[in-house]
């Protein structure tokens, strides 16, 4: 089986060009063609015919196939179900803001973290995605926008908040980030990429060494050990205080901060006392808190708190002077909101 072209970062491509005595410019021409122009056809830019023939014969240029597209009726959110070569399915979401989009990418088929509030975790981990399957989600979503919402094909932010634990599939995610960042291709700014983690310490340590600058979001969800153990089982192996200590060692630039995500679940972690403990834990850090009211999914037993409870929680955090945002759910009519992604769920269900 041929290797996917989309598994190569720029330096891999340069090495291949040198080893095969191809024209020096081939790497930049090809990256530009496939990642900047996002062309579907064979490259006909300024590149020697023999180089084109070499790449066509050596590499696979296919991408994950779009199986189904769900467009939200409430906002402009789009959820894609992709079919992979081995027939596994994964989901990707385009989240609108003005006429631009953030893209929420999946990093694994299913997830091993088994968080009690998350629909994806209910599937268990099937396998890691390859780099080409990760960058493929981006390219296919971009092409869909170009074809279906012309002049709206602006994807400004990339968040690894879809299915899977990105730091548990570190190598493929890292290479995908390198491809997104490459100035020869999509040239996405380092501050525009965010990796969200449940607190997988081995990956966090590698992240700080190998892809510093890419933003980090920690799914915190409760400052109380017993409650976090229930929500995020890997907290028993990698407890929150160790996760926070690992994050504290990561050098941040002046403009950079860590996002702490906090799902608000009715009568579980939504009291002013929880907010006070959270504020005390994060006070003085370069922190930004995202409050995510729990999104229901078929079979979930948790509930979302009432709006006044959510606002009260934020008010307590405000007293700690930590910037806090209440994240409004987008695309929840097509189960595209946080934690509602589950590729077995082929039909959009209104919750
Ligand atoms: N494994 C990574 C990324 C995937 S989840 C992580 O744990 O961070 C992305 C975000 O969605 C996380 O903050 C996650 O906790 C949140 N999320 C998961 N299920 C949710 C649900 N049902 N309602 C609201 N947010 C949810």
């Amino acid at each position: 089986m041929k290797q996917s072209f989309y598994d190569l970062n720029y330096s891999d491509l340069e090495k291949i060009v040198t080893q095969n005595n191809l024209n020096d410019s081939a790497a930049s021409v090809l990256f530009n063609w496939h990642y900047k122009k996002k062309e579907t056809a064979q490259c006909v830019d300024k590149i020697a015919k023999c180089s084109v023939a070499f790449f066509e014969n050596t590499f696979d240029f296919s991408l994950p196939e779009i199986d189904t597209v769900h467009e939200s009726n409430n906002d402009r959110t789009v959820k894609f179900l992709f079919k992979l070569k081995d027939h596994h399915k994964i989901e990707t979401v385009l989240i609108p803001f003005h006429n631009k989009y953030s893209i929420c990418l999946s990093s694994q088929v299913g997830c091993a973290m088994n968080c009690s509030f998350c629909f994806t975790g209910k599937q268990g981990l099937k396998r890691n995605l390859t780099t080409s399957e990760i960058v493929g989600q981006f390219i296919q979503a971009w092409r869909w926008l170009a074809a279906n919402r012309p002049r709206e094909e602006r994807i400004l932010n990339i968040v690894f908040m879809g299915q899977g634990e990105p730091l548990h599939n570190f190598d493929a995610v890292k290479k995908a980030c390198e491809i997104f960042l490459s100035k020869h291709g999509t040239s996405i700014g380092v501050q525009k990429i965010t990796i969200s983690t449940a607190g997988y310490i081995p990956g966090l340590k590698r992240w700080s060494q190998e892809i510093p600058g890419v933003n980090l979001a920690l799914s915190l969800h409760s400052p109380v050990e017993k409650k976090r153990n229930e929500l995020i089982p890997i907290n028993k192996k990698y407890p929150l205080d160790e996760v926070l200590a690992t994050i504290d060692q990561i050098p941040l630039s002046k403009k950079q901060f860590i996002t702490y995500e906090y799902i608000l679940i009715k009568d579980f972690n939504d009291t002013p006392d929880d907010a006070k403990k959270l504020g005390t834990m994060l006070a003085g850090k370069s922190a930004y808190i995202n409050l995510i009211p729990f999104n229901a999914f078929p079979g979930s037993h948790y509930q979302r708190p009432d709006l006044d409870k959510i606002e009260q929680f934020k008010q307590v955090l405000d007293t700690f002077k930590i910037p806090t945002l209440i994240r409004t759910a987008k695309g929840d009519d097509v189960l595209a909101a946080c934690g509602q992604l589950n590729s077995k769920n082929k039909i959009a269900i209104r919750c």
Side-chain angles (χ1 to χ4, degrees):
M1 216 168 63
K2 288 181 187 173
Q3 190 190 1
S4 173
F5 172 82
Y6 300 99
D7 278 332
L8 308 172
N9 64 17
Y10 191 71
S11 67
D12 294 336
L13 197 54
E14 275 186 319
K15 269 186 221 134
I16 290 166
V17 166
T18 316
Q19 279 161 6
N20 293 279
N21 295 320
L22 302 171
N23 195 315
D24 280 351
S25 63
S28 67
V29 171
L30 281 171
F31 242 56
N32 190 67
W33 181 266
H34 290 283
Y35 290 113
K36 195 168 260 161
K37 296 186 175 162
K38 303 174 191 70
E39 296 284 359
T40 38
Q42 196 184 66
C43 178
V44 290
D45 255 1
K46 299 172 213 105
I47 180 170
K49 281 211 176 74
C50 62
S51 303
V52 173
F54 169 82
F55 279 100
E56 288 297 321
N57 293 333
T58 317
F59 292 98
D60 174 11
F61 286 85
S62 64
L63 288 172
E65 212 180 289
I66 297 180
D67 184 271
T68 326
V69 180
H70 296 298
E71 294 180 70
S72 167
N73 293 320
N74 301 345
D75 51 53
R76 296 179 69 70
T77 299
V78 191
K79 180 168 88 165
F80 299 92
L81 189 65
F82 284 104
K83 196 158 98 191
L84 307 176
K85 286 222 174 87
D86 58 2
H87 301 292
H88 278 308
K89 305 243 169 97
I90 49 158
E91 289 179 316
T92 306
V93 185
L94 283 172
I95 307 154
F97 59 102
H98 307 298
N99 278 341
K100 305 174 193 83
Y101 293 88
S102 287
I103 190 165
C104 179
L105 298 178
S106 291
S107 55
Q108 296 180 313
V109 182
C111 185
M113 301 295 119
N114 197 22
C115 298
S116 62
F117 51 83
C118 180
F119 201 16
T120 306
K122 306 286 163 228
Q123 297 181 76
L125 176 66
K126 299 285 185 291
R127 70 167 173 85
N128 281 332
L129 294 185
T130 61
T131 297
S132 55
E133 289 166 336
I134 298 171
V135 296
Q137 297 168 57
F138 176 92
I139 298 174
Q140 293 289 60
W142 188 94
R143 285 182 185 158
W144 183 91
L145 279 179
N148 295 280
R149 297 182 183 177
R151 291 179 300 284
E152 277 191 38
E153 65 271 29
R154 274 172 301 176
I155 304 178
L156 290 194
N157 292 292
I158 295 178
V159 295
F160 283 90
M161 294 187 186
Q163 286 163 297
E165 165 54 46
L167 294 184
H168 196 214
N169 181 18
F170 193 89
D171 290 322
V173 168
K174 177 186 167 189
K175 213 170 226 192
C177 288
E178 288 165 350
I179 292 172
F180 291 135
L181 295 169
S182 170
K183 62 179 188 324
H184 301 282
T186 47
S187 193
I188 300 227
V190 71
Q191 302 285 317
K192 304 285 183 197
I193 304 180
T194 302
I195 291 181
S196 179
T197 178
Y200 184 67
I201 290 184
L204 268 175
K205 288 191 171 150
R206 285 193 64 190
W207 174 82
S208 64
Q209 299 294 318
E210 299 179 41
I211 38 175
V214 168
N215 291 314
L216 184 74
L218 174 71
S219 293
L220 200 154
H221 306 332
S222 176
V224 182
E225 191 183 6
K226 209 166 145 248
K227 290 190 202 179
R228 196 166 191 269
N229 283 345
E230 178 182 327
L231 295 172
I232 307 176
I234 65 150
N235 192 59
K236 291 176 206 145
K237 189 160 183 197
Y238 304 116
L240 184 58
D241 50 356
E242 284 178 32
V243 173
L244 293 177
T246 309
I247 292 177
D248 283 346
Q249 280 162 17
I250 296 172
L252 298 178
S253 70
K254 268 200 186 130
K255 277 195 233 150
Q256 239 184 323
F257 50 81
I258 305 287
T259 302
Y260 295 90
E261 297 166 283
Y262 193 97
I263 296 187
L264 281 163
I265 301 173
K266 189 174 182 175
D267 300 331
F268 183 80
N269 64 354
D270 61 344
T271 64
D273 187 50
D274 288 301
K276 222 166 135 183
K277 288 197 173 104
L278 180 66
T280 310
M281 187 171 256
L282 299 182
K285 296 189 194 292
S286 299
Y288 189 99
I289 299 177
N290 254 340
L291 296 177
I292 317 170
F294 173 70
N295 291 314
F297 55 82
S300 59
H301 61 282
Y302 295 125
Q303 283 175 335
R304 172 184 290 201
D306 299 330
L307 196 60
D308 55 345
K309 203 82 200 260
I310 296 172
E311 272 161 9
Q312 202 184 15
F313 197 92
K314 180 179 173 335
Q315 276 162 19
V316 176
L317 290 172
D318 287 344
T319 65
F320 289 87
K321 309 236 175 321
I322 307 172
T324 302
L325 184 86
I326 300 172
R327 201 149 84 188
T328 50
K330 288 196 173 161
D332 55 353
D333 63 325
V334 290
L335 283 186
C338 280
Q340 294 182 313
L341 303 182
N342 181 312
S343 21
K344 281 193 192 144
N345 196 73
K346 292 188 190 105
I347 315 154
I349 303 167
R350 181 176 283 275
C351 32

